[in-house]
Amino acid sequence: MKLIYRLNAFMKGLHISSFILSLMLVGTSLLGILVLAKLNYMYADYRIIKDASPDVYYLGNMSIPMPGTLVEEMGKELIDELQQFSGIGKVYTVKSVAPVMFNEQNISILLYSPDILDDFPALKRIGYDFQNDPSGFIVQSAVFDGYEEKSATISIYKTGVGWHDLTININNKVNPMISTICFSGGSTGTMDSSVLLTESNFIIGLDNESNRELLEKYSDSLRCYPNVVFRFKSSATETEKKEVFKFAEKKGNYTPLAEIAAADLNLIQAQIKSSIPLPVLLFLTSLIAYLSITALMVTKKGKDLSILYLCGASRNKCIATVMGSTALMVVIPSLINAAVLSFLWKLQKQGDERLWGFLFEENCIWLIVFSFVLTLFVVFSVAFASMKGKTPIEILRGVE
Amino acid sequence: MIELNNVTKKYKVGENDFYALNSLSFKVEKGEFVSICGASGSGKTTLLNIIGTIDECTEGTYLFDGLDVSSMNDRKRAKLRNEHIGFVLQDFALINNQTVLYNVMLPALLGKTKYKAIKSNALKALQSVGIADQAQKKANQLSGGQRQRVAIARALINEPDLILADEPTGQLDSETGKQIMETFKKLNNEGKTVIIVTHDKTVAEYGNRLVMISDGKIVSDI
Ligand SMILES: Nc1ncnc2c1ncn2[C@@H]1O[C@H](COP(=O)(O)OP(=O)(O)O)[C@@H](O)[C@H]1O
Ligand SMILES: [Mg+2]
C-alpha cells in the first residue's frame, strides 16, 4: 500500500498522460484480440473444409421437399443414381428437418450420415462427437444459451394433434462454426456448407435407425431437405470423375471442397493483409509513446529521484521507482484486457450471437501476455538505459 | 560518532586529477555542533555528502558509529542514511508539487513503519518546527523559511542521530536564517549531532566547534 502511495505520488503530473497511454494500450490490445479472434474463426472454418478428404464433393440441395416425404426415402433416388457410377466411393447425406421448436424458438434438426465425421475430422475436434450416445443430439449454444441440462424437451408438429413434446439427450453443446463469411458465394446455387455442417438454430443428430424411427412418426408434418455429399474412390480415373460431374451439373450445383478450402484460404490471407497492419501500427505507436513517457519521467522526475536518494533510497530503489510506476501503466491495462477477454470468453461459451464471426482461443491470452511483456521490456530497458548514466549526486548538485 | 581517515575525493577533469578533498581526517563526537566553513569550491559540500553517504570517497576510510561506511554497498549506505542521517540542503530539495506532509513522510515511507504511524510522526515533526498548520499545502506554496522548516521536519522524521545541513540559510534573508539556526541549536540541545556547512561567519558562530576548510584540507579546527 505504501509502495502504491509512493508510486502514485511519484507519477504526479504524469497521471493524465499515463491514463491516456493506458487507454491506448487497452484499445490496441483489444483490437488485436478481436482481429485475432476473427482470424481464429475463419481459420477454424477453413480447417473444417480442409480436413475433409480431398475427393469429397458437395452436391447441393437436391430436391424441393414436400411434406410427407419419408425420412428414410429422402435423397434415396439420387444416392442410388450416384452410386451406380463406377468412380463413386461413398455417398452420404445431411438432412435438415423442420419445423421443430425449442423454448419457443424455431429450430431444425440436422441428420448427419454417421460416417461423415470420418471425412470431416475437424468436426470432432470442435465437439461433434456422438460416440457416447449415438441417438443423442448436439445442440447449438446460440439456441441453448445457459441451458445446462443433459436432456431437453423439443416440440415437433404432428398433423391433427398439434405440437408434441419430445425429450432428447444432449451429447454436447457447440458454437456455430461455419459463418456466411466463408461461403457467401453470391451466385445462385453456390454451395452453402453452413447448411451442410452446422448453423445456428439446429440440433444435430446421426442419421441412424433410432433417430429415423423417432422422426418417422411425424413424417406427414415435417419438411425434409436432403443434402448430398459424395466421395470418389481413390482409384477413380479422370474420366470416371468427369462422368459424375456431368451428372452432378445436371442435378444441381456442386463445388469441390478443395476449391472452397482454397477460396477460404484466400479470404484468410486477404483478411490478414487488411486487418493486421492497423493493430500492429497502433501497437508500435503505443510502444513509442511508452518509451517517450518513460524517458520523460526520468528527466522530468530526475530531481524527485535524487530527493528520494537523499532521503535514504538506494540507487536500485530509485530505478525500481521509475520501473514500478511505468509498470503500473502496463500492468493495469493488461489486467483490464484480461478481464475483457475472460468476459468475452464467457459470452462465447454461452453462445452469445453477438460474437458470431469471432473465436476466442488461447492465442488471445498469449497476445495479451506478448504485448505485456514487450511493452514492459521496452519501458524497463529505456528506464534502465536512461538512468544508468546519471548519478543522483550529480542531479542534486545540479539543483543546488 | 564520525571518523574520517585520510579521505580523498578525486575528480578527473580532462587529463588532470582534481582533488576536491585531499587526505582529510576529521572526527565528530556525539552531541557536537560543528560548523564547517570555507570559501566556495573549497570542498565543503563534497565533505558533507561523503559524511551523509550520498557520495563516496576515492581513498581513505569513513567510520560511522564504528561501522566502515567506505566498504558498504549502495543499499547498506542507503539504509544507514535513511535511519541515522537527516539532510538539509540550501535549496531545500523538496518535491514541489507534493504536499508538505508527503515531503516530510517520504523518508519514513522507505522504511518499515506503518502508514498511520508515519503520518502522525510527520505531523509531530512539523509541529516541532512550528508549521503543522501548513501540512496540506503544496511545498511550492510556502515561503523560503517555511520550506526550510519542512526540510528540517523531513530530516527529523526517522529520528536520526545526525543532522547535516549544507548552507541551510543560503537562500534565506538574515532574519529567517537566524530562526532556522535557532532551530538547529534547539535540536543540538536536545542531543542531536549537528554538522553545518556554510561560508557565512555569523551562521558558523552557532556551532560550538569551527572547522575551516580550504582546497580540500582542514586548515583550522577550534
Ligand atoms: N563532478 C565533479 N567533477 C569535477 N569537479 C567537481 C565535481 N563536483 C565538484 N567538483 C569540484 O570540487 C570542488 C569542491 O566542490 P564543493 O564541495 O561543492 O565545494 P563547496 O561546497 O565548498 O563550494 C569544486 O572546485 C568543484 O568544482
Ligand atoms: Mg557547497
Side-chain angles (χ1 to χ4, degrees):
Chain A
M1 235 30 244
K2 250 167 29 185
L3 179 69
I4 300 282
Y5 177 66
R6 205 158 61 72
L7 291 183
N8 185 44
F10 179 68
M11 283 171 80
K12 186 142 190 181
L14 294 170
H15 276 134
I16 293 177
S17 37
S18 39
F19 177 74
I20 292 172
L21 209 52
S22 303
L23 270 189
M24 192 163 161
L25 186 60
V26 168
T28 304
S29 160
L30 277 185
L31 184 69
I33 289 170
L34 287 181
V35 165
L36 190 60
K38 178 144 201 133
L39 288 172
N40 279 344
Y41 185 89
M42 292 176 77
Y43 188 67
D45 248 7
Y46 160 75
R47 283 292 294 273
I48 290 173
I49 304 299
K50 191 193 157 260
D51 286 356
S53 306
D55 273 341
V56 175
Y57 291 81
Y58 173 81
L59 202 58
N61 224 324
M62 281 298 102
S63 54
I64 296 163
M66 298 294 287
T69 320
L70 286 175
V71 174
E72 182 116 42
E73 297 299 310
M74 279 192 310
K76 191 131 199 172
E77 194 183 318
L78 182 70
I79 293 166
D80 288 344
E81 274 181 85
L82 266 173
Q83 263 163 350
Q84 276 156 24
F85 287 92
S86 53
I88 291 285
K90 219 183 217 172
V91 180
Y92 29 55
T93 55
V94 175
K95 301 165 182 171
S96 66
V97 180
V100 182
M101 297 275 283
F102 170 75
N103 200 13
E104 301 186 346
Q105 300 174 81
N106 272 312
I107 57 169
S108 307
I109 297 175
L110 278 186
L111 291 182
Y112 282 16
S113 287
D115 48 0
I116 205 166
L117 294 176
D118 301 334
D119 281 326
F120 291 86
L123 285 176
K124 228 174 210 166
R125 207 173 44 234
I126 57 169
Y128 286 66
D129 198 341
F130 299 92
Q131 243 161 22
N132 292 336
D133 181 10
S135 64
F137 284 79
I138 290 181
V139 301
Q140 299 286 351
S141 319
V143 183
F144 287 75
D145 185 13
Y147 193 85
E148 299 297 341
E149 306 298 315
K150 279 276 145 236
S151 64
T153 303
I154 57 169
S155 313
I156 303 189
Y157 195 77
K158 198 169 185 181
T159 316
V161 181
W163 290 100
H164 201 253
D165 280 350
L166 193 69
T167 300
I168 55 161
N169 290 329
I170 296 177
N171 278 337
N172 207 353
K173 198 152 100 176
V174 296
N175 286 307
M177 289 302 308
I178 299 293
S179 72
T180 42
I181 317 170
C182 292
F183 299 107
S184 57
S187 66
T188 46
T190 304
M191 161 182 171
D192 185 358
S193 273
S194 50
V195 175
L196 166 67
L197 297 169
T198 150
E199 250 249 45
S200 77
N201 289 18
F202 280 87
I203 59 174
I204 298 142
L206 288 180
D207 191 358
N208 58 21
E209 200 75 37
S210 67
N211 283 340
R212 277 199 297 269
E213 200 178 304
L214 182 81
L215 294 175
E216 202 76 43
K217 292 181 213 148
Y218 309 91
S219 63
D220 54 347
S221 64
L222 286 175
R223 284 170 189 268
C224 308
Y225 303 77
N227 301 277
V228 175
V229 175
F230 62 85
R231 194 172 71 184
F232 289 116
K233 280 178 190 154
S234 55
S235 62
T237 63
E238 283 306 308
T239 23
E240 281 175 326
K241 285 184 183 177
K242 262 189 194 136
E243 266 176 48
V244 177
F245 291 152
K246 229 191 226 162
F247 166 79
E249 251 166 65
K250 265 189 285 170
K251 283 291 179 187
N253 294 287
Y254 70 90
T255 317
L257 286 178
E259 227 168 75
I260 297 170
D264 270 7
L265 203 57
N266 277 338
L267 270 172
I268 291 173
Q269 279 161 354
Q271 182 75 23
I272 287 176
K273 263 195 204 133
S274 69
S275 62
I276 298 252
L278 183 65
V280 168
L281 206 73
L282 280 178
F283 184 64
L284 287 180
T285 316
S286 90
L287 267 191
I288 291 168
Y290 267 97
L291 195 144
S292 42
I293 204 173
T294 310
L296 188 77
M297 189 176 281
V298 174
T299 47
K300 219 187 142 183
K301 300 280 181 173
K303 193 188 162 196
D304 292 13
L305 287 172
S306 64
I307 291 170
L308 197 64
Y309 181 75
L310 185 75
C311 290
S314 64
R315 239 166 267 239
N316 287 340
K317 208 163 198 164
C318 292
I319 296 178
T321 300
V322 174
M323 287 185 173
S325 49
T326 45
L328 274 185
M329 293 190 289
V330 186
V331 170
I332 293 172
S334 298
L335 288 179
I336 293 174
N337 283 334
V340 172
L341 179 61
S342 72
F343 172 72
L344 289 174
W345 209 300
K346 211 174 129 199
L347 281 187
Q348 172 175 286
K349 272 203 178 130
Q350 291 168 356
D352 194 297
E353 289 206 30
R354 285 169 297 184
L355 295 183
W356 267 50
F358 296 98
L359 181 65
F360 298 95
E361 283 191 324
E362 226 170 60
N363 55 13
C364 298
I365 305 174
W366 288 116
L367 190 73
I368 294 181
V369 172
F370 171 78
S371 63
F372 173 77
V373 169
L374 193 62
T375 314
L376 215 56
F377 176 76
V378 164
V379 160
F380 277 14
S381 24
V382 169
F384 199 77
S386 50
M387 289 186 71
K388 213 180 149 200
K390 291 191 185 112
T391 56
I393 181 83
E394 276 165 7
I395 302 172
L396 271 177
R397 276 184 170 274
V399 298
E400 262 178 49
Chain B
M1 169 177 228
I2 286 171
E3 191 177 338
L4 300 182
N5 291 314
N6 299 319
V7 163
T8 295
K9 179 72 183 181
K10 190 165 73 180
Y11 289 112
K12 274 236 163 342
V13 183
E15 294 286 282
N16 309 318
D17 288 343
F18 174 82
Y19 288 85
L21 294 179
N22 201 340
S23 194
L24 180 148
S25 297
F26 180 54
K27 253 188 193 175
V28 177
E29 298 303 331
K30 227 182 178 72
E32 277 192 280
F33 190 148
V34 184
S35 302
I36 300 177
C37 228
S40 181
S42 54
K44 306 182 297 291
T45 298
T46 309
L47 175 61
L48 200 72
N49 287 350
I50 289 174
I51 294 173
T53 80
I54 60 174
D55 205 352
E56 288 170 275
C57 53
T58 27
E59 279 163 49
T61 54
Y62 167 24
L63 302 182
F64 183 98
D65 275 345
L67 297 169
D68 185 2
V69 178
S70 31
S71 68
M72 285 182 184
N73 63 18
D74 184 56
R75 199 174 55 83
K76 282 204 176 122
R77 272 187 289 127
K79 191 166 183 311
L80 174 77
R81 175 163 77 243
N82 181 250
E83 291 171 358
H84 299 288
I85 301 173
F87 249 109
V88 179
L89 300 184
Q90 178 177 3
D91 77 328
F92 323 126
L94 299 178
I95 301 175
N96 284 326
N97 62 1
Q98 286 293 344
T99 60
V100 164
L101 185 64
Y102 178 81
N103 270 287
V104 176
M105 286 169 71
L106 189 55
L109 289 172
L110 297 168
K112 290 202 162 60
T113 319
K114 290 253 165 19
Y115 177 83
K116 267 204 175 140
I118 294 174
K119 198 172 168 182
S120 74
N121 287 346
L123 288 169
K124 260 184 241 157
L126 281 170
Q127 217 150 28
S128 75
V129 295
I131 49 165
D133 53 333
Q134 310 287 321
Q136 295 306 329
K137 279 200 185 155
K138 293 271 164 65
N140 56 11
Q141 292 169 331
L142 303 187
S143 71
Q146 286 173 320
R147 284 192 214 191
Q148 200 55 297
R149 285 169 192 278
V150 176
I152 295 172
R154 180 182 65 190
L156 292 176
I157 185 157
N158 280 347
E159 298 185 348
D161 325 304
L162 176 63
I163 306 276
L164 303 176
D166 192 349
E167 315 249 11
T169 60
Q171 292 193 8
L172 307 175
D173 59 69
S174 58
E175 186 51 37
T176 319
K178 240 186 206 167
Q179 291 168 8
I180 293 295
M181 289 315 296
E182 289 298 338
T183 310
F184 282 117
K185 190 84 209 161
K186 192 180 112 207
L187 289 172
N188 179 242
N189 289 338
E190 286 165 8
K192 304 236 184 260
T193 311
V194 178
I195 304 179
I196 279 189
V197 155
T198 182
H199 61 266
D200 185 338
K201 282 265 150 42
T202 52
V203 168
E205 275 162 15
Y206 280 88
N208 39 35
R209 177 176 162 199
L210 179 65
V211 176
M212 295 294 286
I213 180 169
S214 174
D215 290 333
K217 284 184 175 157
I218 291 173
V219 290
S220 89
D221 188 342
I222 33 173

